[in-house]
Amino acid sequence: MPRTRLSRRRVLASLGAAPVATVLATSAPACASAQRAAADASPRTEPVLSALLNISLATPAEATVGSATILGGDAHGELAGVIHPGSLEWTRDPVRGVLQLAARFELQARAGLRIHVADRATVVTPMECWAAPFATTPELTVVDGPSAACRESVYLGRMDASQLHAGQLRLTVHRVL
């Protein structure tokens, strides 16, 4: 049987890493020292960017297979800059309660970097999948500029699509230390 190689990023994405990190941090060990050890074992992260994306829906948000155009936006934080147009696609399986989503766009950071952002999510949700923020797995790839400024790492994202109908999507990205 052939073996497949899975990257750490793919494994974290398949597990929904942000909820796993939350469970690790909030589990209730029997004694205080075990509680401190569990907190120390939780993944530590640092914020990389917080972005507000302006979008135009090409299909209704309730569509089983949908898409939107990312018109642009602004990013704040370590990779502050301007978001260039991109795309957002999703597939919903209402029977199983699963949402698969992919967002792709370019970020022109003020530090002189041009970064391609590909953000993906597979979320098990109730019928209203856009109501609550969900964990994502972003990949940041330097297209132009010194790659040391955006070092290779595992990133965890959080997407808030509650304002999707109003044409806005909020994305926060953290680097796992």
Side-chain angles (χ1 to χ4, degrees), residues 113-135:
L113 296 174
R114 195 172 87 216
I115 301 167
H116 177 76
V117 179
D119 198 16
R120 295 176 182 83
T122 300
V123 185
V124 178
T125 77
M127 290 304 287
E128 182 49 52
C129 58
W130 305 116
F134 48 87

Side-chain angles (χ1 to χ4, degrees), residues 5 9 18 47 52 54 61 78 90 142 147 149 156 169 173 177:
R5 181 175 154 89
R9 181 174 292 153
L52 183 61
N54 299 315
E78 181 181 324
W90 66 87
V142 175
S147 59
L156 299 176
L169 193 63
V173 176
L177 302 174

Side-chain angles (χ1 to χ4, degrees), residues 14-170:
S14 69
L15 294 174
V20 170
T22 304
V23 170
L24 289 174
T26 59
S27 61
C31 66
S33 63
Q35 210 169 23
R36 282 190 302 276
D40 291 342
S42 297
R44 292 180 307 131
T45 65
E46 65 182 4
V48 175
L49 71 93
S50 177
L52 183 61
L53 309 173
N54 299 315
I55 63 164
S56 174
L57 292 171
T59 60
E62 298 77 24
T64 303
V65 176
S67 65
T69 301
I70 297 172
L71 303 172
D74 293 311
H76 303 281
E78 181 181 324
L79 296 176
V82 176
I83 305 230
H84 292 283
S87 64
L88 174 69
E89 300 92 25
W90 66 87
T91 304
R92 290 182 42 234
D93 181 345
V95 174
R96 292 181 15 216
V98 175
L99 166 73
Q100 290 185 315
L101 175 134
R104 295 173 188 83
F105 58 89
E106 299 279 322
L107 167 63
Q108 183 66 51
R110 291 191 187 108
L113 296 174
R114 195 172 87 216
I115 301 167
H116 177 76
V117 179
D119 198 16
R120 295 176 182 83
T122 300
V123 185
V124 178
T125 77
M127 290 304 287
E128 182 49 52
C129 58
W130 305 116
F134 48 87
T136 64
T137 307
E139 293 182 25
L140 281 61
T141 307
V142 175
V143 176
D144 189 24
S147 59
C150 181
R151 61 185 181 266
E152 177 106 6
S153 185
V154 173
Y155 295 96
L156 299 176
R158 194 93 176 138
M159 188 172 286
D160 180 354
S162 61
Q163 297 300 311
L164 190 67
H165 292 86
Q168 291 186 329
L169 193 63
R170 188 169 300 277

